[in-house]
Amino acid sequence: MSADRLSVYEAIRLRRDVRAEFTGEPVDEDTLWRILDAAHRAPSVGNSQPWDFVVVREPDTLRQFADHVAGKRVEFRDALPPERATTFEPIKIEGIVESGTGVVVGYDHDRGGPQVLGRATVHETGVYSTVLAIQNLWLAATAEGIGVGWVSFYDPEFLAELVGLPPGIRPVAWLCVGPVHEFQTVPDLERYGWRTGRPLSEAVHRETFGATGIATEPSTNIAATETIAP
């Protein structure tokens, strides 16, 4: 039990949003299926399992989506103040072609019927469930030495048409999935100076917002487990 718990913590620590580290080799089918199985085992509101996974490997489709994302990247850069545009310019935002495999995660609001147990007052719980499936996929991939990059620079209508999502199924993510040379030790956005993270002590509140009750942040160091080979 202890070893299992440590392996989960280690995967969380190693997980990165991968862009430039893909080897170019496709993830093999057995590994991909294990990763998708982990995603499909995520908890979901009312056991509705509102997700679908479209695996994309056709080079022409990968290139079409990469070209679309490149255009959206330019639009974002051009809308930034000059100093932020300079910081943003070297940041790679996708590895669509390099990864060799895209997994489009879709959300079906109607899955589970009109009365989904647990969604009556918080309608977003279906989307939250789908994001939990993505997190499962990401951590399982990391444990396998497989990188994942979440691409969000796209028009949902374009992506839905590109992969043939039927009406009512909303694209939530395009995930680039593939073997990597390495996992970066520092997130790209920190390495390039876009934004740094904040300590846990700033995010934890006691009883009411703004009351931390924590004088110093406790140690969360975890003993290193076996190194995961890329």
Side-chain angles (χ1 to χ4, degrees):
M1 186 64 173
S2 175
D4 289 343
R5 204 162 58 227
L6 282 175
S7 67
V8 170
Y9 279 109
E10 189 68 358
I12 291 170
R13 185 184 68 80
L14 289 173
R15 184 212 60 80
R16 288 289 175 266
D17 198 354
V18 176
R19 309 297 181 183
E21 291 76 26
F22 291 110
T23 65
E25 295 296 320
V27 57
D28 67 86
E29 284 291 332
D30 287 346
T31 303
L32 178 62
W33 195 257
R34 286 195 300 272
I35 292 168
L36 292 172
D37 179 66
H40 193 58
R41 292 175 184 272
S44 62
V45 62
N47 201 27
S48 57
Q49 297 181 305
W51 48 69
D52 287 279
F53 309 106
V54 181
V55 178
V56 181
R57 283 180 159 164
E58 177 60 44
D60 183 60
T61 306
L62 297 174
R63 173 50 58 192
Q64 284 187 61
F65 188 60
D67 290 345
H68 172 75
V69 170
K72 294 300 172 184
R73 183 189 191 282
V74 170
E75 290 179 13
F76 179 75
R77 182 202 63 198
D78 291 348
L80 292 171
E83 68 280 2
R84 293 299 271 169
T86 300
T87 302
F88 174 71
E89 187 57 38
I91 298 175
K92 184 174 175 60
I93 64 164
E94 50 83 11
I96 297 162
V97 173
E98 298 90 333
S99 66
T101 301
V103 176
V104 178
V105 183
Y107 166 63
D108 184 354
H109 184 78
D110 295 332
R111 182 94 28 84
Q115 289 88 33
V116 174
L117 194 158
R119 203 180 68 189
T121 57
V122 184
H123 303 299
E124 298 89 349
T125 49
V127 177
Y128 300 162
S129 300
T130 303
V131 174
L132 286 173
I134 293 171
Q135 179 76 328
N136 269 21
L137 183 154
W138 212 326
L139 294 179
T142 302
E144 296 271 5
I146 300 298
V148 176
W150 187 330
V151 181
S152 56
F153 277 68
Y154 62 83
D155 285 329
E157 296 80 8
F158 176 90
L159 180 52
E161 182 176 352
L162 183 67
V163 300
L165 296 182
I169 297 187
R170 162 189 167 189
V172 173
W174 176 296
L175 305 175
C176 306
V177 180
V180 294
H181 295 292
E182 63 178 342
F183 291 111
Q184 292 288 347
T185 57
V186 178
D188 282 358
L189 297 189
E190 291 192 26
R191 290 193 300 120
Y192 286 103
W194 180 262
R195 187 177 300 280
T196 59
R198 60 177 179 146
L200 173 62
S201 57
E202 291 185 8
V204 177
H205 309 264
R206 300 287 187 176
E207 310 300 340
T208 58
F209 192 93
T212 64
I214 301 175
T216 59
E217 193 169 321
S219 172
T220 55
N221 289 335
I222 299 165
T225 58
E226 181 180 355
T227 300
I228 298 174

